[in-house]
Structure formats: structure tokens, C-alpha cells
Amino acid sequence: MTETATRARRGRGTAWGALVVLLVLGAAALPALLAPDRPAGWLLDPADTSVFGSAALAHLLEAHGVEVVRVETPTAAVAAAGPETLLLITEASLLGDRDAAVRLAEAPGDRLIAGHASFLDVLAPGLNRESVERARSRPPRCTLREAVRAGDAFTGGISFSSPPGSTGCYPAGDGHTLVRYTENGHTVTALGDATFMTNLWLADDGNAALALNLAGARPKLIWLAQAGDPADDGATGADGEPARSLGDLIPGGVNWAVFQLVVAVAVTALWRARRLGPVVTERLPVVVRASETVEGRGLLYRSRRARDRAALALRAAAADRLAPLLGVPRTATAEEVADAAAARTGQDPGPVRTLLCGPEPADDAALVALAADLDTLERQVRDS
């Protein structure tokens, strides 16, 4: 093959390799570019196991004996609320209107408001926003038992001014990122940021302890994951929550996974279907003699102490060579070849059968003796 042809072949191989890499990268990037925005209800959702969800916190609460009730509408939250319940409202709880916030504020039980929740003046009256601070690890610097036991936590977001009679923790700017006070017989707790409650940050600092202490303050937690008027959500199930079809239960990433699989199969088919033209024969750079191959195979058997395989190879080769000399078909068994050899040479069939079909040699000396006896048998058959 000429140097020009070699370069051309290498160029084609490089081009095909680059094309395969581009197709793989495109298939991997396309879902991220075309995927729709993630629904806001997934953020801080107790049923979501992604880094933005809060399934880990929900499991921890249930392990500590707290009943976690996930609801998606203010109507369902009010119906499930009671004197010994805690209503959790997060920034993912998209309250449709002010009336929904009023119904939640009038519900029995305590309230925990986490993050940039809507209608804060209704849900936590008397609480004022001071500033927006960067979320980072902060010390509690207060006497609130839940915060003191948790220690440092990843807090920030909205900084609140503490109303009279309230307790503020985790100071940031001119206010606090955690404020607790009592309003009309309800204990209201406001958090400036709820990032520490997600699966991504729960294991850092004292985030898990703080989340458990605050969300597990009552035996029953009403978690408002996504709010809205049921009348606006279409059909509803028997429990008052939106009805879901079979397609809604399939994760959104499944379609893109199938698409990537189809692209991968197509690329593989193109790769394997390539035709490189006729086979080019080339002279071998070296010639290996048969004796060297036999010697190498023997050394390999010796290194692995494979006397059984070596003896089997010697006996099979001897039987193949003896069969045409004795006039028996090559498909004859080793016993048939041994009987024919004994009849030709006038020997006892027993020792000949042992020679061709006996057990494996006990040591290397027995293996060498077996090879010599097989050569002797072949010579006797040839001379008879």
C-alpha cells in the first residue's frame, strides 16, 4: 500500500471518528437544549428525589414519627389541617390568588413559611422584609431551641425584621433569616430561604437537624407542594387532587432516553455498515515455523501444569494419524482405533487402549513416556 493511500485511509478514519463524536455530543446536548422548563411544583416537593426536591426530608420526618401529608391545593390543605398540625408553605406553593392565602391563614394549626412565598403579609402579618442576603452557612445566635440544637445552617435569602415578641435567628444584614412569633394563637415560623431543605443541601452543616426540628414540630405535617384552585386544574380525583393520566406517571426523561438510544443505534448501524472496499493482501513480515508454534504451545501447557490437556492433544493427534494407516474412518472413536492397532500389531488390546484412552499422566516424566510410547505404537503400525 502506497504512502498516499495510507494517508487517505487515515484521513477517512479520522473523519468518521469525528462524526461519531459530534453525533454523540449532539444527542447528549439536545435534551438539555430542548427540554421544557422544570415545573415549579417539583421544587421542594416531598415526592421529588432530584437535587431540587425534598424527598429525603420527607423520609426523615416519617422515620421520626411525623405524618407527612402532601397536598397540591389550598382547599386540600385546609381540609387536612387541625389543631395539632403544621402547615408548610414553600416558595414552590404557587398561590393563585389572595383568597387562597386568606383561607390558609385562617386554617387551624401552626404555619411554617419557607423561602419567597407569595402573600407573606397575609400568611405572616407583622413580618417585614428588610433585604435579600446571599445564602451561606450562618450561626444561629439566638435562644430558639430548634436553631440552637441544629447549630450552623445554610440560610439566607430574605432577611426579616422581627415583630414585637418574636425570636429571630441566623442574623443577616439588618434582620434575621429565621423568625418565629405567635399570631392569633398560631405559631408562625418564617424562613428567608428554603434551599437547606432540598436533597442537595440537606446533608451539609446542621441543615437536616434544623429542617427536622422546624418541620417536625407537630405530629402531622401538611406539605403544600403546589397550590392552585382545583376548579382551574381540570378534572380531580376522589381525594380532591388533580386526576392524572397514565402518561403523566411516566418521567419526562424517558422520552429523551429513548431518543438517545435510537441515535446510538443509528450511529452504530452506520459504523458497522461501512464498506472499506476489497481486502488488500500483504506479505507477512515474518514466517513462524511450525516447530516454534509446537514448542510455544508445549511451554504454555508446562507453565500451567496442564498435563491433562497435553496428554489429550497427544492422544488425539496420534489417533488421527493412525486411523488412515489402519483403514478406519476418521470419525472412529479412540477405542476403535486402539482395537484396530492391537489387531494389526498382534498386541493385547488392553495396554493399547490404556495408551490411547487412559488417565492423565501423574507427572512430567509420565507425560514424556506417553509421547514416546505413542511414537512407538505409530512405528509398529506403519511397519506391520
Side-chain angles (χ1 to χ4, degrees), residues 15 24-25 32 46 90 100 109 152 157 163 169 212 245 247 259 295 311 331 367:
V24 172
L25 293 178
T90 69
D152 294 354
C169 300
L212 282 173
S245 63
F259 174 76
E295 182 180 359
T331 57
L367 180 62

Side-chain angles (χ1 to χ4, degrees), residues 164-175:
S166 64
T167 301
C169 300
Y170 300 102
D174 296 331

